[in-house]
Amino acid sequence: MFVKEIGERVLSEQRGKHDKDPYPIYTVIDNAFKDQKETGLKDVWVEMTPHEAGYSLTGAFVDQEYFGSKFDHGMLIKEQPEMDMLYVQGLCGSAAADISQFKHGFNPLINPTWGITYNFLHNMVTGLQGLSKSETREYIDAGLLLNSPYFSVLRKERKVDLIISLDFSEGDPMQTIEDAHRMSKDMGIAFPHVEFTEDDRK
């Protein structure tokens, strides 16, 4: 019953409903992270919020309602229904998309960890030439790169002062923070200095 209710809703419906609840930010990564030579970018983080979807650090976004629609040279040429929450949560959790997405015109997942949508940057003249060449983009669970989505939260516009990190995954809970610190330094993103002692780990 819960899954059915999720599947009937879309993320943009949550606009203006976060006076008390946390603002939802869903993240995936562009599959290009496996071959960063394709894009020449270190930013492969893609976020979806009630308002927009796009590349967190680069700042290339489209209205959430049109994420998955077909664009060419920045012009909307084929509007698709907004992807429902079942698809969004499946994509963000490395699960296969609902079969109903075939009727929406989305390409099916190639395997249980990949999702394909139209590329809203297709043929745009930008500094993102590696991303703009293809008509579609492949997205996978962001946890495959880093288990916590720090980079979406750390966008300059969000003016974050405090990070509370809750990591209940298997393994060393400090490792995700150390990895985020290292990756942030590589990408020129402000992140607190991280240095754990053996006592901290215990």
Side-chain angles (χ1 to χ4, degrees), residues 43-197:
D43 176 19
V44 294
W45 289 84
V46 176
E47 66 179 72
M48 292 169 274
T49 73
H51 294 90
E52 60 190 2
Y55 292 83
S56 295
L57 305 180
T58 305
F61 288 92
V62 68
D63 189 297
Q64 173 62 35
E65 293 183 53
Y66 300 111
F67 185 58
S69 291
K70 192 172 183 178
F71 286 80
D72 190 52
H73 290 87
M75 299 293 293
L76 178 65
I77 60 174
K78 184 179 180 183
E79 186 175 344
Q80 300 283 14
E82 182 179 352
M83 58 181 71
D84 60 41
M85 289 304 298
L86 186 59
Y87 187 89
V88 170
Q89 292 191 352
L91 179 60
C92 295
S94 290
D98 176 26
I99 194 71
S100 69
Q101 293 304 322
F102 286 110
K103 73 176 189 289
H104 290 192
F106 294 110
N107 294 316
L109 299 189
I110 295 174
N111 66 41
T113 61
W114 289 11
I116 302 177
T117 68
Y118 285 118
N119 180 13
F120 68 92
L121 296 172
H122 185 236
N123 282 333
M124 283 190 69
V125 180
T126 67
L128 310 174
Q129 296 307 314
L131 293 177
S132 63
K133 290 178 184 177
S134 64
E135 187 175 328
T136 59
R137 297 306 302 172
E138 299 173 355
Y139 303 116
I140 59 180
D141 182 351
L144 296 175
L145 184 57
L146 187 68
N147 209 35
S148 294
Y150 293 108
F151 304 120
S152 293
V153 175
L154 291 174
R155 280 174 54 189
K156 291 179 183 177
E157 300 88 345
R158 295 204 164 111
K159 299 177 182 177
V160 171
D161 294 318
L162 175 68
I163 300 171
I164 299 174
S165 177
L166 304 173
D167 187 346
F168 301 101
S169 58
E170 186 178 355
D172 183 354
M174 307 297 191
Q175 188 65 50
T176 297
I177 298 173
E178 289 175 328
D179 289 345
H181 177 252
R182 175 183 49 78
M183 293 171 71
S184 295
K185 188 175 180 180
D186 289 346
M187 292 187 284
I189 301 168
F191 195 87
H193 178 70
V194 173
E195 187 174 347
F196 294 119
T197 67

